[in-house]
Amino acid sequence: MLNTIVLIRTDNFDKAMVALADLVRYGGMRIRGDPRIVPPALSDWAFEKIVGEKPRKRYRAHVVAQIDLPPAKAIGRLRDIHPPAHIIVIPPESPVHKELLRLWGTFEKLKGFHPPKVKRIEQKVEKEEGEEFY
């Protein structure tokens, strides 16, 4: 099963890291692998394809991350937590998702992001499952 991707658009990478931490801490999402930095033009293209209109605001920081929730559930939780960034959920069956995964290895890793600590029991289950991600 493919992971849902979130596109985070914000003023700086510090805010992007806070938004990612909020997804984990308050949204109950798990970040799979390392979040990546994407070029602004690709971010704008993804925004336009998913939202259906051109972005009105220009941002300096554009980050993508894979999460462990289905798109509808992720959108519902995003509405509840209000992170300090503009976040777009990209469903696995979309052409944007396919393109981002194709280019994933070329994106620079977001340095300095460490997900907030999760409970010991969850970490143990994760190790036992030996989950893989792309």
Side-chain angles (χ1 to χ4, degrees):
M1 189 187 103
L2 291 173
N3 297 317
T4 300
I5 293 177
V6 289
L7 170 63
I8 298 166
R9 298 161 52 86
T10 189
D11 300 324
N12 59 56
F13 291 107
D14 287 340
K15 283 185 182 177
M17 286 196 262
V18 169
L20 284 165
D22 284 357
L23 294 181
V24 175
R25 192 176 288 123
Y26 306 116
M29 301 176 202
R30 227 170 55 218
I31 307 291
R32 311 286 299 254
D34 294 313
R36 306 288 177 126
I37 298 169
V38 295
L42 183 61
S43 173
D44 288 350
W45 171 81
F47 177 95
E48 196 170 332
K49 289 286 185 198
I50 297 295
V51 178
E53 58 186 53
K54 289 193 179 294
R56 290 187 210 117
K57 187 167 191 250
R58 292 276 171 228
Y59 291 103
R60 289 199 174 117
H62 305 266
V63 175
V64 287
Q66 296 184 48
I67 59 168
D68 66 339
L69 289 179
K73 205 174 251 189
I75 290 168
R77 292 191 186 174
L78 273 173
R79 287 193 176 125
D80 294 340
I81 63 174
H82 307 292
H86 189 223
I87 300 180
I88 297 153
V89 175
I90 300 171
E93 57 282 348
S94 70
V96 173
H97 189 282
K98 288 177 181 63
E99 185 63 11
L100 289 172
L101 275 190
R102 188 180 73 77
L103 295 169
W104 197 265
T106 67
F107 301 146
E108 182 186 342
K109 290 181 183 179
L110 179 64
K111 290 177 181 59
F113 175 72
H114 303 286
K117 298 283 182 247
V118 291
K119 296 180 199 116
R120 292 252 181 254
I121 295 167
E122 288 176 20
Q123 287 176 336
K124 186 178 178 203
V125 168
E126 208 172 288
K127 283 181 184 167
E128 288 171 2
E129 290 174 359
E131 295 175 346
E132 292 184 52
F133 46 83
Y134 297 94

